Amino acid sequence: MLTQAERMKGLASAIFTQVDELRKAEAAAGKDVITLSIGSPDMAPAPHIVDALITASADLRNYGYTLSKGTADFLQAVASWYKINYGVLLDPRTEVHSLMGSQDGLAHLGLCLVNPGDVVLVPDPGYPIFSAGPLVAGAELYRMPLKPENSYLPDLEAIDESVLKRAKLMIINYPNNPLAAVAPREFFVKVVEMAHRYKFLVCHDFAYSELVFDGYRPDSFLSIPGAKEIGIEMHSLSKTYNMAGCRAAFVVGNAEAVSLLGRLKSNFDYGIFYPVQQAAIAALTGPQDCARETAAIYQRRRDIIVDGFNLLGWKVEKPLASMYVWAPVPTPQRSFEFIADLIKRAGVAVVPGIAFGEHGEGFVRIALVQPEDRLSEAVDRIRKCIG
Ligand SMILES: *Cc1c(COP(=O)(O)O)cnc(C)c1O
């Protein structure tokens, strides 16, 4: 009876579901599985953030609808955070808008920009919503391969001019999920030039800006001269402040694009729960040692996995950012076969690269979302499995 709409066909979560089913089957059989598959932080927000949430939610006046845009204090907190952290000046009234998670922004951006036949340029491998959002909006996707030999940056010169002329939007993401790669400033400069020439919008997903290691600091895309004329950037409190369930994020940059997305959202939702906005303000304007401590914890976890794997002869590079390690499949198997074996034989669950796109084949993504002892245990178990 029920026939799904055409646009649903772009939404295939099949591989993630399969990974989870394998994991659950082992767990149901009584096996202890170390779950390094999901990208959900395992740490808690800092006490001052939780306090702000508790205080605001104890006030019974705070349970009404908010506005989709965000409170004036929230918008100002975002603008100040950008100025302090990235030297980017934003007008909180026109260049900042709240999001119910970056997922909200990425899911809806295509609907504001795309007509049938328009192209959206997305990374492959890439975070699934980068493709799913534009597909639902009816976009034709152009998948930009991110290859190790190009330092996981898209080869901009390889994109055909006919594609660029039809492009309405390019989505990029550094520090990257799932690749854990970072981008040099020169790459952003080239993207800005290209977007000006072909008149498309660039959306830079900056979710991992604070989960950085070994003293590395990324650039905001908006810090490139001319970027604000063609670009927006999204940042989320999910990873930086361990607030994933709160659904608090924001989009900043080009006022026209921010206002378009805002107009769509004002029809779709009524904004973030007021106490969550208060918690977000506490996070953005309070002491930042909590974010640095979170990054330091991920850095130690990264070292356990990368050093551990390299000792096993599994050659893996040390990423400078994010909460993932991207590793080549160490056996002659396809990525899915390998991870299925790893779950069954080692009791360690990771995601096959193919889940992030065709060019993810040959790799797996390991999420550093377990404490150090569990990660050491995972390395031990893998030693017995592939060693
Ligand atoms: C986790 C993540 C986000 C954050 O999403 P929210 O909806 O804000 O929780 C955004 N982009 C990428 C690439 C991510 O991995």
Side-chain angles (χ1 to χ4, degrees):
M1 278 301 283
L2 196 67
T3 49
Q4 66 171 13
E6 281 302 312
R7 70 178 68 84
M8 289 301 292
K9 295 185 178 153
L11 303 181
S13 63
I15 300 173
F16 288 95
T17 312
Q18 280 170 17
V19 175
D20 213 47
E21 273 161 13
L22 289 173
R23 186 186 65 78
K24 281 194 200 131
E26 289 302 298
K31 194 133 152 220
D32 166 49
V33 181
I34 303 176
T35 305
L36 309 179
S37 42
I38 47 165
S40 185
D42 63 311
M43 290 178 253
H48 68 277
I49 300 173
V50 180
D51 284 346
L53 183 63
I54 292 172
T55 307
S57 48
D59 186 336
L60 302 182
R61 290 168 302 182
N62 293 342
Y63 284 77
Y65 291 122
T66 58
L67 283 178
S68 174
K69 184 158 187 180
T71 65
D73 288 346
F74 174 85
L75 301 171
Q76 183 57 57
V78 171
S80 305
W81 186 89
Y82 251 88
K83 180 166 176 236
I84 293 166
N85 286 297
Y86 294 99
V88 171
L89 300 182
L90 297 165
D91 182 343
R93 289 163 310 167
T94 56
E95 295 175 333
V96 184
H97 200 289
S98 80
L99 297 172
M100 300 165 91
S102 324
Q103 201 80 5
D104 165 23
L106 293 162
H108 294 134
L109 184 60
L111 292 174
C112 308
L113 300 170
V114 167
N115 288 314
D118 289 341
V119 169
V120 175
L121 305 147
V122 297
D124 181 343
Y127 188 54
I129 193 67
F130 295 164
S131 314
L135 272 178
V136 166
E140 193 180 304
L141 294 186
Y142 179 90
R143 298 177 194 275
M144 304 181 288
L146 306 186
K147 300 179 183 171
E149 58 267 33
N150 298 331
S151 314
Y152 294 119
L153 301 170
D155 181 357
L156 299 174
E157 275 88 56
I159 307 170
D160 207 84
E161 181 147 43
S162 64
V163 171
L164 292 169
K165 282 183 174 155
R166 289 192 295 133
K168 284 288 156 68
L169 173 65
M170 174 189 274
I171 300 176
I172 51 176
N173 163 223
Y174 295 97
N176 185 277
N177 174 14
L179 303 167
V182 300
R185 201 174 163 80
E186 308 84 77
F187 168 71
F188 285 165
V189 172
K190 280 193 204 149
V191 171
V192 170
E193 275 168 21
M194 190 171 244
H196 273 278
R197 184 156 3 116
Y198 293 100
K199 300 186 174 33
F200 56 77
L201 183 77
V202 178
C203 174
H204 181 231
D205 181 344
F206 208 25
Y208 295 97
S209 63
E210 310 310 302
L211 300 191
V212 288
F213 316 137
D214 307 331
Y216 170 76
R217 282 296 295 165
D219 285 307
S220 160
F221 181 73
L222 297 177
S223 71
I224 308 299
K228 222 196 254 179
E229 289 151 36
I230 48 78
I232 55 175
E233 193 157 71
M234 291 185 189
H235 182 74
S236 167
L237 285 87
S238 296
K239 315 293 162 54
T240 304
Y241 301 105
N242 296 312
M243 293 170 69
C246 288
R247 316 310 299 130
F250 45 86
V251 57
V252 299
N254 183 268
E256 237 179 303
V258 166
S259 142
L260 259 185
L261 185 55
R263 181 145 60 89
L264 184 82
K265 274 175 56 59
S266 71
N267 283 270
F268 278 17
D269 69 64
Y270 292 109
I272 307 175
F273 184 39
Y274 183 82
V276 168
Q277 295 197 50
Q278 293 301 103
I281 294 167
L284 294 167
T285 61
Q288 298 299 300
D289 351 355
C290 58
R292 283 189 287 271
E293 178 56 23
T294 298
I297 290 170
Y298 283 121
Q299 181 176 325
R300 289 198 293 275
R301 292 176 176 183
R302 170 204 68 172
D303 290 344
I304 289 171
I305 289 291
V306 174
D307 295 342
F309 283 10
N310 281 327
L311 277 175
L312 302 181
W314 185 356
K315 283 266 164 274
V316 175
E317 275 171 46
K318 230 175 222 192
L320 280 175
S322 85
M323 48 187 228
Y324 309 102
V325 170
W326 183 249
V329 174
T331 61
Q333 293 164 297
R334 310 276 294 171
S335 60
F336 190 84
E337 290 162 0
F338 173 71
I339 72 98
D341 265 7
L342 208 62
I343 295 176
K344 285 198 203 96
R345 295 174 49 212
V348 177
V350 303
V351 179
I354 188 72
F356 301 99
E358 186 191 333
H359 290 91
E361 186 52 89
F363 293 85
V364 295
R365 188 194 75 176
I366 298 130
L368 304 169
V369 292
Q370 297 282 343
E372 292 178 32
D373 58 335
R374 293 289 278 169
L375 294 175
S376 300
E377 165 80 17
V379 173
D380 272 351
R381 291 189 191 175
I382 291 170
R383 173 182 304 119
K384 287 172 195 140
C385 182
I386 69 167

